[in-house]
Amino acid sequence: MQVPVEWLREYVDFEDIPIEEVADKLTMAGLEVGEIYPERFGYENSYVGRVTNVSEHPAKPGFWILTVEDDTRGNTVLTNLREFRVGEIIPIGYEGFILPDGMKLESMKFGGETSDAKILSEADVEYSDNAEVILPLPESAKVGDCVPDAIGITQEVFKFDLTANRGDCLCVLGIARDLAAVLDRPIKKDVFDFELETKPLDIDFSVTIKAPMLCPRYSGRVIRNVRIEESPLWMRRRLVCSGMRGINSIVDVTNYVMIETGQPLHAFDLDTLQKRAIVVRRAIAGEKIKTIDDTDRLLDPYMLVIADKTRPVAVAGVMGGAETEIEGDTVNMLLESAHFQPRNLRKTATGLDMRTEASVRFEKGVNPDTTVKCSDYASYLIAKMGWGTPLDGLIDKYPKPVKPKKISLNPAKVQKFISPDIEPSEMEGILRRLDFVVEKPEKGKILKVTAPGHRFDIAIWEDLAEEIARIYGYNRVPSVMPKTLIHRAVMTPNQAGNRKLREILAGCGLSETITFSFTNLKELTRIWPDKTPVAVPILNPLTEDHTHLRPTLVPNMLKTIARNRANSPDVPLQLFELGKVFMDPENPAEEDALCIGVCGRSLRTPTKTDYNFQLPVYYVIKGIIEQFIDSVTPETPSFRPADNVLYHPNRSAEIYLGKEKIGELGEVHPEICANFDIRHVTAVATVDIAPLKAILDREPRYEAISRHPALARDISVIVPENVAARSIEEIICRYGSDLLERAYVYDVFRGEKIGEGKKSVTFALEFRAVDRTLTDEEVNPIMEKIIFFVRDEAGGTLRTS
């Protein structure tokens, strides 16, 4: 945003303050002045020079060759205006000087002599229309001065770097309001203090709003007898200082009012509108419009357009259409002043890749309360300049007026927030200087503050406190070290439980992996094509690979194994991830889950037997699970056949702790391995860690270790093939009495001696008493009892050879 200092002085008197100090005060109040620069209107390549040599042109009588210099440069000028004297001071324009018609000065040859500059006339800087009169210089002009500086037309301009919330300051009036509050000086000028004279309406036109959510307010006024001409120099120069250029009288007025008040306007050639109707609606799919930049644009249905009865004639708040723009032969025009929904308008401007001065202001927010006032102001200027006749009958559609925001403010909170030195009365004064309405209650200290219509960024009391602070002065806020109580970091029970489990898993020889909590349905379908787990969708996913929250850790574990095996195919992997999974899209909830993955030749075989021999990964991961659970609880887990398409049909199991299922393990099905580009046998396990963490929370129980030796026995039983070894182990443990300390399988044999459809399972049993050394006489009855019940419940027989 660029604002000429001269324009600001029409609103606020600050002649006694250096503009650098004014810029600093505005910056400290939140309106950062990034630069103060002189606007010379294209006349930069000029200077006040002294004639140092005069000679007649050798080939052209009546022409003189002048050498003009200042302290740093010199130029040659050919002229036939008159004979000049050495020592005369004249205004010079050299190569690059921009003439009023937009042409740039260039070197030229005349009669064999080169001229690289010209003596500036009054017309060259629009001092007057006289191109034959040399531009007069004031007595204060010095050799070397830039000509616009010497004659006093250079204007100082503030260039602001505004924050996104200060859309109200994208105009001279907005900057002036804040400047007046900062300097605590009154606003001298009311831009809306005028009397608009109109003629009776004798032209019918209509306005219909079909999308009131996107266009809360729309007003239109007819202006007759439009006259298109060049706008006056003062207006064009103010537009240039504001970063715009003059086009013609009507367009310049709409731009001028927008720069001064912040309200974008648009002028339609009324006679080009079908049935002289305005319809504010969404675009129809496939609809096109040619905008005034002569570009055909395809519109989307979410875009708001201004249309007549048959076609769109403008992209609302962004740019007008070429078919209805103001031309030299325009007689009747319709002046639009409206308020559009910022979010949709920004989406439209971005979608069409055409952000304009108008769209930027609508995106930041425009005051809907001044829509008609700004239209009247533009009409007043048009009538004052003699460019048209405003008519009665302005149509103003405002179905749901915006209600002002009212906020409760506790001065004590503000004092705590900013400084205890600021008095409540000073707070009230600052807010009133910023056009807030402050109501003091009869009882109590809570103020009722109503935000002005142009401050749509004010919503909560902290916003009011910020307004008070920036006008009060951030440099007046005391620098005090904050007083805080530092507490020792304490883990939650859940965090402590997870940390303990991670230590146990690391002790089992596993390395931890950490992956994103995102997945996508395609990954889940690669594992469960028929019964894909339900996943919680992400409303605004960043990538196509991260569209849902993960309901399981398995896909991430398989991807981790695939990446690591691809990079290091000979390195064995024993990994775990303890992380969050997300369930039930209807009522989303997150839970802790554990996944273990094994791939490749294991470095060790974690089994209770401690036999160091190579086993398939199924037995490796089963041993890891046994060791992990054994580190958590003395209760021994049991395993039952699993039915999950993730696993190999004959190499998977459900994990039970007591009667509760806590997970599954198994060798991953070869087809699923292929889906994830894994070329080695892989096993995974998933464990519900909630029951295990509940066990961790229990108080440990001490049991004395027997000082007496164990008595070992072996038992081999022949059972049908379908009898699980685990069921036999359960029988042995059930009838082994309290003296049985341990029972485990150490051999399974099948062969002709055993018989078809049968197997021999050998168990190692260890008996021990706490208070004595056991004898055969004590153990033999127990062994006989075990053999009897194995025969009775499992159909087994004792193998004798």
Side-chain angles (χ1 to χ4, degrees):
M1 177 64 190
Q2 300 172 197
V3 177
V5 174
E6 168 265 335
W7 204 346
L8 275 179
R9 286 195 172 115
E10 284 190 3
Y11 284 89
V12 184
D13 184 8
F14 56 94
E15 294 281 355
D16 56 325
I17 306 175
I19 61 171
E20 291 79 12
E21 184 179 337
V22 172
D24 183 62
K25 288 179 178 293
L26 286 171
T27 298
M28 292 303 296
L31 306 183
E32 182 183 355
V33 180
E35 181 184 358
I36 305 173
Y37 73 92
E39 178 56 65
R40 297 188 172 97
F41 310 104
Y43 307 147
E44 290 85 359
N45 290 15
S46 64
Y47 65 95
V48 176
R50 178 183 288 109
V51 178
T52 59
N53 186 57
V54 179
S55 63
E56 291 187 7
H57 196 292
K60 298 290 184 181
F63 281 83
W64 287 269
I65 302 174
L66 308 183
T67 301
V68 184
E69 297 177 348
D70 66 1
D71 296 334
T72 60
R73 72 203 128 190
N75 292 94
T76 301
V77 180
L78 301 182
T79 179
N80 65 346
L81 288 176
R82 62 176 172 81
E83 184 177 357
F84 289 82
R85 302 186 312 276
V86 173
E88 278 193 68
I89 295 175
I90 57 176
I92 295 296
Y94 56 91
E95 287 184 272
F97 181 90
I98 300 176
L99 297 167
D101 60 2
M103 298 292 290
K104 288 185 179 181
L105 280 183
E106 297 179 354
S107 296
M108 60 173 291
K109 277 193 174 184
F110 183 70
E113 298 292 331
T114 300
S115 175
D116 59 3
K118 81 181 293 284
I119 301 171
L120 297 179
S121 69
E122 292 184 352
D124 290 334
V125 294
E126 298 183 279
Y127 188 83
S128 73
D129 296 333
N130 198 333
E132 303 299 325
V133 177
I134 297 175
L135 177 69
L137 295 173
E139 292 182 2
S140 59
K142 298 178 182 178
V143 173
D145 286 349
C146 189
V147 170
D149 296 353
I151 64 175
I153 65 172
T154 299
Q155 293 196 22
E156 299 291 339
V157 178
F158 287 148
K159 188 171 184 178
F160 290 91
D161 296 325
L162 299 174
T163 53
N165 65 310
R166 294 309 306 270
D168 62 302
C169 287
L170 289 172
C171 61
V172 177
L173 178 58
I175 299 292
R177 275 191 295 249
D178 268 34
L179 179 59
V182 169
L183 300 179
D184 194 12
R185 296 185 178 183
I187 293 280
K188 299 191 297 182
K189 170 184 174 182
D190 181 3
V191 68
F192 300 121
D193 183 16
F194 56 84
E195 187 173 337
L196 176 63
E197 295 182 1
T198 59
K199 299 293 183 180
L201 178 66
D202 56 0
I203 299 177
D204 291 331
F205 74 102
S206 63
V207 173
T208 305
I209 300 178
K210 290 188 176 181
M213 295 297 293
L214 303 183
C215 178
R217 188 173 192 180
Y218 190 98
S219 67
R221 179 188 294 280
V222 174
I223 297 177
R224 298 207 63 172
N225 303 320
V226 173
R227 187 157 56 92
I228 306 299
E229 61 184 26
E230 187 177 52
S231 54
L233 182 62
W234 64 267
M235 181 178 286
R236 285 186 280 119
R237 284 187 171 169
R238 281 190 171 180
L239 291 176
V240 170
C241 289
S242 303
M244 305 189 75
R245 61 185 179 86
I247 297 174
N248 63 47
S249 53
I250 300 301
V251 175
D252 288 357
V253 163
T254 58
N255 288 337
Y256 183 87
V257 172
M258 177 180 70
I259 295 296
E260 186 168 17
T261 68
Q263 173 66 54
L265 305 171
H266 185 68
F268 296 99
D269 187 329
L270 182 62
D271 297 325
T272 62
L273 297 175
Q274 299 294 325
K275 298 185 179 179
R276 291 178 176 168
I278 287 290
V279 181
V280 186
R281 60 171 173 81
R282 292 180 184 269
I284 300 170
E287 205 166 29
K288 293 183 178 181
I289 183 175
K290 177 178 283 190
T291 48
I292 57 176
D293 59 356
D294 203 32
T295 302
D296 290 317
R297 303 185 185 275
L298 180 63
L299 303 173
D300 290 324
Y302 69 83
M303 298 176 178
L304 187 71
V305 298
I306 310 300
D308 57 17
K309 288 294 185 180
T310 61
R311 62 191 170 160
V313 295
V315 182
V318 181
M319 188 176 288
E323 295 181 352
T324 58
E325 70 174 320
I326 299 297
E327 301 280 5
D329 59 351
T330 299
V331 177
N332 303 311
M333 80 173 216
L334 177 68
L335 183 62
E336 168 195 279
S337 181
H339 180 76
F340 301 113
Q341 202 264 347
R343 185 178 299 177
N344 178 267
L345 194 136
R346 177 178 175 80
K347 184 178 179 182
T348 298
T350 304
L352 294 175
D353 192 22
M354 50 184 241
R355 297 188 72 195
T356 61
E357 290 287 342
S359 71
V360 167
R361 284 163 175 78
F362 279 123
E363 289 170 19
K364 307 295 184 185
V366 171
N367 185 4
D369 295 339
T370 57
T371 300
V372 172
K373 290 181 179 180
C374 293
S375 175
D376 289 346
Y377 181 43
S379 301
Y380 166 76
L381 291 176
I382 290 171
K384 180 180 178 182
M385 299 293 178
W387 296 331
T389 304
L391 302 185
D392 289 336
L394 176 138
I395 295 180
D396 180 28
K397 298 285 186 177
Y398 196 13
K400 292 184 178 180
V402 177
K403 295 181 179 179
K405 298 175 185 175
K406 293 189 176 183
I407 305 166
S408 297
L409 181 66
N410 186 340
K413 281 187 176 182
V414 178
Q415 288 176 326
K416 186 176 180 182
F417 191 64
I418 302 174
S419 169
D421 298 332
I422 183 169
E423 295 295 331
S425 58
E426 189 172 1
M427 299 181 199
E428 294 177 39
I430 290 173
L431 291 173
R432 288 194 172 97
R433 279 150 54 188
L434 289 169
D435 290 343
F436 289 85
V437 176
V438 182
E439 301 175 25
K440 295 180 65 175
E442 295 181 2
K443 296 182 180 180
K445 299 181 179 179
I446 306 300
L447 304 177
K448 295 293 183 182
V449 181
T450 303
H454 58 269
R455 292 307 305 271
F456 19 77
D457 58 321
I458 303 297
I460 55 179
W461 76 266
E462 287 87 349
D463 294 331
L464 296 176
E466 182 182 359
E467 293 299 300
I468 293 169
R470 68 186 186 87
I471 303 301
Y472 177 73
Y474 292 123
N475 56 334
R476 296 174 62 191
V477 176
S479 298
V480 180
M481 291 294 292
K483 295 180 181 179
T484 58
L485 296 177
I486 301 176
H487 301 280
R488 181 172 63 89
V490 179
M491 289 189 294
T492 65
N494 186 60
Q495 291 172 326
N498 286 346
R499 173 172 288 189
K500 180 62 177 175
L501 292 178
R502 286 187 171 94
E503 292 173 355
I504 294 172
L505 289 162
C508 294
L510 303 177
S511 299
E512 184 175 8
T513 68
I514 300 174
T515 62
F516 286 122
S517 298
F518 309 121
T519 187
N520 58 74
L521 294 180
K522 184 178 179 181
E523 284 182 356
L524 297 173
T525 305
R526 279 159 43 177
I527 301 176
W528 297 280
D530 297 327
K531 294 183 179 179
T532 304
V534 178
V536 178
I538 299 173
L539 293 179
N540 187 24
L542 296 179
T543 68
E544 293 181 356
D545 295 331
H546 298 153
T547 58
H548 291 73
L549 296 174
R550 61 187 180 188
T552 172
L553 301 177
V554 172
N556 287 5
M557 178 60 71
L558 294 179
K559 288 195 297 182
T560 301
I561 290 174
R563 280 194 299 269
N564 282 272
R565 292 297 286 184
N567 295 328
S568 304
D570 297 327
V571 176
L573 299 175
Q574 294 186 359
L575 309 174
F576 80 91
E577 179 172 9
L578 199 162
K580 298 287 187 183
V581 293
F582 304 86
M583 322 299 292
D584 191 2
E586 298 297 328
N587 298 291
E590 57 183 72
E591 302 173 359
D592 289 322
L594 170 65
C595 183
I596 298 173
V598 175
C599 182
R601 179 181 59 83
S602 62
L603 300 176
R604 58 186 290 273
T605 305
T607 63
K608 289 187 177 182
T609 60
D610 291 332
Y611 291 163
N612 191 14
F613 55 87
Q614 296 300 317
L615 289 176
V617 291
Y618 168 76
Y619 292 104
V620 173
I621 201 166
K622 181 173 179 289
I624 291 172
I625 292 295
E626 289 177 333
Q627 183 181 0
F628 169 59
I629 295 178
D630 186 58
S631 301
V632 175
T633 173
E635 189 174 354
T636 303
S638 60
F639 300 90
R640 302 175 188 175
D643 181 18
N644 191 329
V645 295
L646 169 64
Y647 303 115
H648 190 291
N650 298 320
R651 299 171 194 167
S652 61
E654 296 177 342
I655 308 168
Y656 281 82
L657 197 60
K659 296 182 180 180
E660 183 180 3
K661 177 184 174 182
I662 63 169
E664 293 181 342
L665 64 88
E667 182 181 309
V668 179
H669 198 286
E671 292 182 358
I672 295 175
C673 283
N675 290 342
F676 284 84
D677 295 327
I678 300 174
R679 301 179 181 179
H680 303 81
V681 180
T682 300
V684 297
T686 57
V687 181
D688 179 7
I689 61 174
L692 300 180
K693 285 198 287 188
I695 294 172
L696 286 174
D697 293 337
R698 297 176 187 170
E699 186 175 348
R701 180 182 175 185
Y702 170 76
E703 289 186 4
I705 299 174
S706 176
R707 302 169 65 182
H708 301 277
L711 194 153
R713 292 289 181 90
D714 291 344
I715 179 174
S716 295
V717 293
I718 299 173
V719 294
E721 186 68 49
N722 62 353
V723 176
R726 177 65 187 174
S727 63
I728 303 172
E729 184 181 339
E730 290 176 352
I731 294 172
I732 293 172
C733 294
R734 189 160 59 247
Y735 296 106
S737 78
D738 294 338
L739 299 179
L740 179 63
E741 185 179 67
R742 186 181 179 195
Y744 57 90
V745 176
Y746 76 85
D747 183 61
V748 178
F749 176 75
R750 297 175 179 83
E752 294 181 1
K753 294 182 179 181
I754 303 301
E756 187 176 353
K758 295 184 178 182
K759 61 185 176 183
S760 171
V761 184
T762 302
F763 290 85
L765 284 68
E766 294 180 2
F767 295 90
R768 193 194 306 266
V770 176
D771 56 348
R772 66 189 185 282
T773 301
L774 293 176
T775 63
D776 290 341
E777 287 74 17
E778 292 178 279
V779 173
N780 286 340
I782 299 174
M783 291 296 296
E784 291 175 359
K785 184 177 180 181
I786 289 172
I787 293 170
F788 173 80
F789 280 104
V790 168
R791 182 186 301 115
D792 182 62
E793 296 184 12
T797 58
L798 184 66
R799 180 182 173 188
T800 57
S801 61

